[in-house]
Amino acid sequence: AAACGVAIISDYWEGFGNFFDISDEILIVTSTEDVVQSLCIPEAKRERIAKAAKDRVLNEHTSEKRADDFMSILSRI
């Protein structure tokens, strides 16, 4: 979804911060009220969050980046 430029609403899970900056790239919710609030944020803010997440995915979560990370790990073994 992030790669398509869509703002993501999610619950929190351990390690989430390894993929996205929780304060700028994704909307974290803990209740129904949080979801409703997230759906009602101003369009400009929603677009900024979506763009930040898209930029992160296209820069850091590509197959090429994953292969580079994997090779780096292997070289330390």
Side-chain angles (χ1 to χ4, degrees):
C4 294
V6 175
I8 298 172
I9 299 172
S10 177
D11 60 334
Y12 179 81
W13 43 269
E14 191 66 37
F16 207 98
N18 295 330
F19 296 96
F20 294 103
D21 181 337
I22 294 171
S23 62
D24 293 325
E25 299 171 343
I26 195 153
L27 298 163
I28 298 295
V29 297
T30 59
S31 67
T32 303
E33 292 79 21
D34 289 346
V35 173
V36 172
Q37 253 186 337
S38 293
L39 293 171
C40 294
I41 63 172
E43 184 176 353
K45 182 176 180 179
R46 189 174 55 251
E47 288 174 351
R48 181 188 53 76
I49 291 168
K51 182 182 180 327
K54 181 177 181 177
D55 290 347
R56 167 72 65 110
V57 168
L58 296 179
N59 288 323
E60 296 183 24
H61 298 293
T62 64
S63 56
E64 181 178 359
K65 175 73 169 122
R66 293 278 186 241
D68 289 344
D69 291 345
F70 181 66
M71 294 305 291
S72 176
I73 291 167
L74 288 179
S75 70
R76 291 181 269 165
I77 296 178

